[in-house]
Amino acid sequence: MYKLIIIEDDYGIANAIKTQAESWNLETHIVEDFRNVLIEFADFQPHIVLLDISLPFFNGYHWCSEIRKISKVPIIFISSAADNMNIVMAVNMGADDFIAKPFDQSVLIAKIQAMLRRTYDFAESVPVLEHRGAFLNTGDNTLSYNDEKISLTKNEYRILLCLMENKGKVVSREKLMERLWQTDCFVDENTLTVNINRLRKKLDSASLNDFITTKFGVGYIIE
C-alpha cells in the first residue's frame, strides 16, 4: 500500500483528500505539528507528498527544501497561489507537480496515481530513519543533522542503521557483528568496538552527544 502525507493546514481540505485517497487504497497521514513537519515525515515514511504553500510557522517552500535534503520522494504542491511565479518557485525548490486550488478530487487522485506509477514502477522507495532531528538516508548512506551531511563508512552506516531500525530496543553486540559480516570482511569484538568509537566521535563532532547508549554486558541502544 502506498503512503500519502498531506501537509495542509485547512483540515476541511485535508480530510476531504484523506477520505478520497483512502477509498483508492492509499494510506494517508495529515500533518499535525507544523513546527516539526520533518519528524512526522520521517515517522510516516510516505511514498508521495501533498504540500500547500501557505502554512503556519514555515511556508511550503521551506518544507519542500527540507524534504529534498533527505529524500527524493515525489512532492505535489496544492495551492490557490497558482500564478507563474509560485509554480516556477515550487519547481525550482524540488517539486514534481503543481495543482491549483480549487481542484477536482478525481483529477487530484489521478495525478497522484500517475506520479506513483512513474516513480515506483522503476525504483524502490528510499526510506528515511529519524532520531533527535538526525535523519539517516538509506539511499546514499548519509546522516543529516542541522543542514549538515555526515558521511559514514560502510560499517558505521550498518551499525547506525541497525540501531535506528531497533530504536528503543537494546541491540546485542552479536547482532551488530552479524550485520557487519554483510560487508564480507572478518569482524571480531575489537573491530566492532573500534567502529562504534569512531561512529560516536563523528556523532559528537556533529553535536549529537550520547546518541548511542551502552548497556554494559548487553549491547547498545538508541533511545
Side-chain angles (χ1 to χ4, degrees):
M1 180 184 289
Y2 288 117
K3 297 164 76 172
L4 164 70
I5 192 166
I6 303 170
I7 308 172
E8 163 67 74
D9 63 327
D10 185 325
Y11 287 106
I13 293 174
N15 282 303
I17 295 171
K18 177 180 173 71
T19 299
Q20 184 79 353
E22 289 178 345
S23 72
W24 286 94
N25 204 33
L26 290 169
E27 185 179 347
T28 308
H29 172 72
I30 300 171
V31 164
E32 297 177 355
D33 184 355
F34 291 97
R35 283 190 178 92
N36 295 296
V37 169
L38 274 192
I39 302 297
E40 293 191 39
F41 173 89
D43 286 343
F44 187 59
Q45 294 194 14
H47 295 93
I48 192 164
V49 177
L50 287 185
L51 177 60
D52 192 12
I53 293 176
S54 300
L55 297 168
F57 307 110
F58 303 97
N59 65 26
Y61 298 130
H62 169 82
W63 290 120
C64 182
S65 176
E66 291 300 297
I67 290 169
R68 275 291 166 261
K69 291 175 184 176
I70 62 170
S71 176
K72 296 179 181 178
V73 64
I75 298 172
I76 299 176
F77 269 89
I78 50 172
S79 176
S80 56
D83 56 274
N84 288 341
M85 185 183 72
N86 279 301
I87 294 172
V88 169
M89 187 174 294
V91 172
N92 287 338
M93 297 300 288
D96 297 277
D97 203 349
F98 193 111
I99 300 176
K101 295 178 183 175
F103 47 76
D104 185 284
Q105 292 277 4
S106 60
V107 172
L108 175 65
I109 295 299
K111 289 207 169 208
I112 290 170
Q113 290 176 326
M115 186 72 69
L116 288 170
R117 281 195 303 272
R118 287 200 300 271
T119 305
Y120 299 107
D121 279 355
F122 304 102
E124 294 182 1
S125 172
V126 178
V128 176
L129 303 177
E130 182 275 336
H131 181 62
R132 280 174 49 184
F135 298 87
L136 184 66
N137 191 322
T138 62
D140 60 8
N141 298 6
T142 60
L143 186 72
S144 299
Y145 182 66
N146 282 346
D147 294 332
E148 178 187 354
K149 273 202 172 185
I150 305 160
S151 61
L152 304 170
T153 67
K154 189 180 290 185
N155 280 350
E156 290 165 353
Y157 168 73
R158 289 185 185 276
I159 290 168
L160 198 53
L161 177 62
C162 187
L163 290 171
M164 290 183 75
E165 285 175 340
N166 294 277
K167 187 165 65 173
K169 301 176 184 176
V170 177
V171 179
S172 69
R173 289 177 63 86
E174 290 75 17
K175 182 171 182 178
L176 288 173
M177 284 190 287
E178 286 175 10
R179 184 66 70 95
L180 295 189
W181 265 105
Q182 296 174 20
T183 60
D184 298 324
C185 64
F186 177 71
V187 177
D188 58 12
E189 291 271 350
N190 185 60
T191 304
L192 176 61
T193 300
V194 168
N195 278 277
I196 289 280
N197 289 339
R198 285 177 179 167
L199 176 57
R200 278 179 161 154
K201 285 180 181 178
K202 284 188 179 181
L203 295 171
D204 288 346
S205 66
S207 301
L208 287 167
N209 306 88
D210 302 319
F211 197 81
I212 300 171
T213 303
T214 302
K215 296 295 184 181
F216 291 100
V218 185
Y220 304 93
I221 187 172
I222 285 178
E223 58 184 349

